[in-house]
């Protein structure tokens, strides 16, 4: 049996296969002309991007919206990693959106998560001429790392302080204080009976005070009544007394007027009466002084020479120029 | 026995009275040497002179003299007519009245009261004779001016003056003390004039 080759079918197959192969090659080479459907954004991260590779996914709130285009070390700042993200055009990247480095479970593979971005915020515009930069936020690992570092540092400080607090001396002091508290507690137990008695006495005192207050209130009522009676008596009696007083005042006024007239006349001017006498008296005293002085001198003379009284025997010393 | 005893006593007393002594000379400070001052206007106050005060031994008419530093004696036959403090007081009163230093000057015996009172305290008024035979008349006195209303002292000053005697006897002492007194009165008048012009104590 002679096989008949259908060259037409073979040729058609070759053409179709070659066309498919070229199309696959274009698809594989990403010459699919989708550049118009994506926008490019820059992202600068200071932490390690281990596990993140080009073509890694970019997710917006968990939805795949693009991929990492390139990963470079920022030529202007060696502490930063510069990522170029290729994100679908319709993705609402806002000015307050930020990017976080996240990991798939325990595999160690990483992706970029775009979070944040409120509804009211304007879009972060990125076009062919200007590439916008999405702010980055520390990843969970970094935050955990920083938190753990802080916790460890604080724990270390706390332990140091605790070590100082619980030194031997303080422990002894605390033990001593507890011993004193125990002793105080024992003493307070002993005072329970006295405290009970004191409370009972206080209750009794309160009862007495209540009784006394009632008595005082009664007394106050009585005083109020007495005051009312006194007021009536005073009103009546004082009226008469004031009349008498007014009469006495008038008489006293007349008497004072008479005395004033007498005084004005100089009948009782003691100064004018006494002044001449005082002056005379002063002169008399001065003369008396003189006299008593001379008398004293004479007596002294007689005392020194008593015989002079009868015979004048002594010879007093004459003064200069006297014989 | 009694009549003879009485007669003897009487005889002795009469004999005592028969003793003869030289006559006593009495002296007074003279105001003749006081020179009149020319005060442009009298101070508008009444000055009253307080009764003069003196050291106890100077409240006497005796004329004292001092020999050397410590010996004090009195002349037997010479004395002052009045106590030295009273004589000085009268002399100052005369001077103040003559010179019209104040609108009115009242003596210590006046019944009226003045705006100011002048008190005096005499410390020394004696005839001093030193060892070399020279003698001086010396006066030492303090005057104090007092405001009558407030009873506060306005001013107080101590004045001393001495003058040589022409002869070393009572007569010379009187002349020297007369000169010294004149000097004291002049000093006091000048001081009072100055005080009366000062505004510090005036109201």
């Amino acid at each position: 049996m002679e096989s008949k080759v259908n060259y037409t079918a073979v040729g058609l197959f070759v053409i179709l296969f070659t066309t498919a192969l070229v199309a696959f090659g274009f698809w594989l080479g990403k010459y699919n002309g989708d550049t118009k459907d994506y926008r490019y954004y820059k992202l600068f991260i200071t932490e390690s991007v281990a596990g993140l590779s080009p073509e890694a996914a970019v997710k917006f709130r968990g939805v795949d919206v693009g991929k990492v285009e390139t990963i470079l070390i920022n030529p202007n700042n060696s502490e930063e990693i510069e990522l170029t993200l290729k994100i679908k055009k319709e993705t609402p990247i806002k000015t307050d959106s930020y990017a976080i480095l996240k990991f798939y479970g325990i595999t160690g593979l990483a992706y970029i998560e775009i979070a944040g971005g409120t509804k009211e915020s304007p879009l972060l515009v990125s076009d062919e001429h200007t590439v916008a930069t999405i702010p980055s936020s520390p990843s969970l690992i970094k935050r955990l790392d920083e938190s753990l570092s802080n916790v460890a540092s604080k724990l270390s400080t706390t332990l140091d302080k605790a070590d100082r607090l619980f030194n031997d001396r303080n422990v002894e002091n605390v033990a001593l204080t507890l011993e004193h508290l125990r002793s105080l507690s024992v003493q307070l137990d002993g005072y329970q009976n006295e405290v009970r008695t004191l409370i009972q006495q206080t209750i009794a005192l309160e009862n007495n005070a209540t009784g006394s207050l009632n008595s005082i209130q009664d007394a106050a009522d009585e005083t109020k009544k007495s005051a009312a009676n006194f007021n009536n008596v005073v009103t009546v009696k004082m009226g008469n007394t004031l009349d008498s007083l007014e009469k006495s005042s008038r008489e006293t006024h007349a008497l004072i007027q008479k005395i004033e007239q007498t005084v004005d006349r100089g009948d009782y001017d003691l100064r004018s009466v006494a002044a001449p006498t005082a002056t005379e008296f002063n002169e008399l005293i001065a003369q008396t002084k003189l006299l008593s002085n001379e008398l004293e001198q004479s007596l002294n003379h007689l005392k020194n020479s008593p015989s002079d009284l009868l015979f004048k025997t002594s010879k007093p010393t004459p003064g200069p120029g006297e014989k | 026995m009694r009549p003879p005893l009485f007669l003897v006593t009487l005889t002795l007393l009469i004999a005592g009275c028969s003793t003869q002594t030289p006559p006593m000379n009495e002296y007074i400070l003279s105001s003749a040497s006081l020179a009149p001052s020319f005060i442009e206007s009298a101070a508008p106050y009444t000055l009253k002179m307080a009764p003069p005060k003196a050291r106890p031994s100077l409240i006497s008419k005796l004329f004292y003299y001092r020999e050397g530093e410590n010996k004090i004696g009195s002349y037997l036959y010479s004395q002052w007519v009045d106590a030295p403090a009273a004589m000085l007081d009268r002399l100052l009163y005369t001077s103040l009245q003559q010179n019209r230093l104040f609108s009115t000057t009242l003596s210590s015996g006046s019944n009226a009261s003045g705006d100011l009172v002048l008190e005096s305290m005499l410390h020394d008024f004696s005839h001093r004779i030193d060892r070399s035979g020279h003698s001086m008349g010396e006066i030492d006195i303090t005057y104090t001016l007092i405001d009558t209303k407030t009873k506060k002292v306005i001013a107080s000053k101590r004045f001393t003056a001495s003058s040589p005697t022409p002869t070393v006897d009572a007569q010379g002492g009187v002349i020297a003390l007369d000169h010294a007194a004149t000097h004291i009165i002049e000093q006091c008048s000048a001081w009072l004039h100055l005080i009366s012009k000062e505004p510090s104590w005036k109201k």
Side-chain angles (χ1 to χ4, degrees), chain B residues 34-51:
Chain B
L34 287 173
S37 335
F38 297 98
I39 307 298
E40 58 273 15
S41 61
Y45 306 108
T46 301
L47 176 75
K48 183 174 181 178
M49 301 182 71

Side-chain angles (χ1 to χ4, degrees), chain A residues 67-312:
Chain A
K67 58 186 177 182
V68 177
E69 186 75 11
T70 58
I71 300 174
L72 299 170
I73 296 170
N74 186 356
N76 300 320
N77 185 0
S78 60
E79 293 177 355
E80 283 180 343
I81 305 298
E82 181 184 335
L83 303 179
T84 305
L85 305 182
K86 185 181 174 184
I87 297 173
K88 285 180 182 171
K89 203 174 182 177
E90 62 273 17
T91 309
I93 307 294
K94 302 292 185 69
T95 50
D96 54 352
S97 297
Y98 55 90
I100 312 167
L101 185 68
K102 282 193 170 182
F103 295 89
Y104 292 108
I106 57 170
T107 57
L109 295 174
Y111 65 94
I112 300 297
E113 170 85 14
I114 307 292
T118 54
K119 192 168 61 179
E120 295 80 16
S121 299
L123 286 169
L124 185 66
V125 181
S126 186
D127 53 29
E128 293 172 356
H129 305 291
T130 54
V131 179
T133 302
I134 301 172
S136 66
S137 178
S139 66
L140 180 64
I141 299 294
K142 187 175 183 182
R143 279 181 282 158
L144 275 175
D145 183 36
E146 286 174 355
S147 300
L148 285 174
S149 297
N150 287 335
V151 169
S153 171
K154 287 181 180 174
L155 192 62
S156 173
T157 310
T158 307
L159 285 173
D160 285 345
K161 287 182 178 174
D163 193 34
R164 274 188 282 167
L165 181 66
F166 293 112
N167 60 17
D168 293 344
R169 190 177 165 193
N170 285 353
V171 168
E172 281 177 16
N173 287 337
V174 169
L176 205 60
T177 306
L178 288 172
E179 181 62 28
H180 288 163
L181 279 173
R182 192 185 65 78
S183 172
L184 185 65
S185 168
V186 170
Q187 285 182 2
L188 283 176
D189 283 346
Y191 286 129
Q192 272 186 359
N193 288 331
E194 281 82 351
V195 171
R196 193 176 295 119
T197 308
L198 189 65
I199 289 169
Q200 286 170 354
Q201 286 175 351
T202 307
I203 292 167
L205 186 66
E206 188 186 354
N207 292 333
N208 288 338
T210 307
S212 299
L213 283 173
N214 290 332
S215 301
I216 288 169
Q217 193 170 359
D218 294 342
D221 292 341
E222 289 296 325
T223 307
K224 200 172 176 182
K225 286 176 188 171
S226 300
N229 292 335
F230 181 71
N231 196 15
N232 291 333
V233 171
V234 165
T235 308
V236 175
K237 294 285 182 185
M238 280 301 284
N240 297 332
T241 309
L242 284 173
D243 290 341
S244 301
L245 197 63
E246 191 179 353
K247 192 179 173 186
S248 300
S249 173
R250 278 200 297 272
E251 289 172 358
T252 308
H253 185 66
L255 180 63
I256 287 170
Q257 277 184 332
K258 280 184 184 175
I259 291 172
E260 277 179 356
Q261 287 169 358
T262 316
V263 169
D264 289 344
R265 277 203 308 269
D267 293 356
Y268 303 112
D269 191 359
L270 292 176
R271 186 180 293 173
S272 64
V273 172
T277 313
T279 310
E280 296 291 332
F281 194 63
N282 281 338
E283 283 184 5
L284 182 64
I285 287 172
Q287 292 295 329
T288 309
K289 270 186 186 174
L290 192 67
L291 187 64
S292 69
N293 220 1
E294 288 182 353
L295 192 63
E296 187 185 352
Q297 285 165 359
S298 300
L299 286 173
N300 279 336
H301 187 69
L302 275 179
K303 189 180 171 185
N304 293 332
S305 179
S307 60
D308 279 2
L309 185 64
L310 295 177
F311 304 110
K312 189 66 179 176

Side-chain angles (χ1 to χ4, degrees), chain A residues 5-18:
Chain A
V5 179
N6 188 346
Y7 292 103
T8 304
V10 172
L12 192 60
F13 173 76
V14 169
I15 289 167
L16 285 176
F17 182 77
T18 305

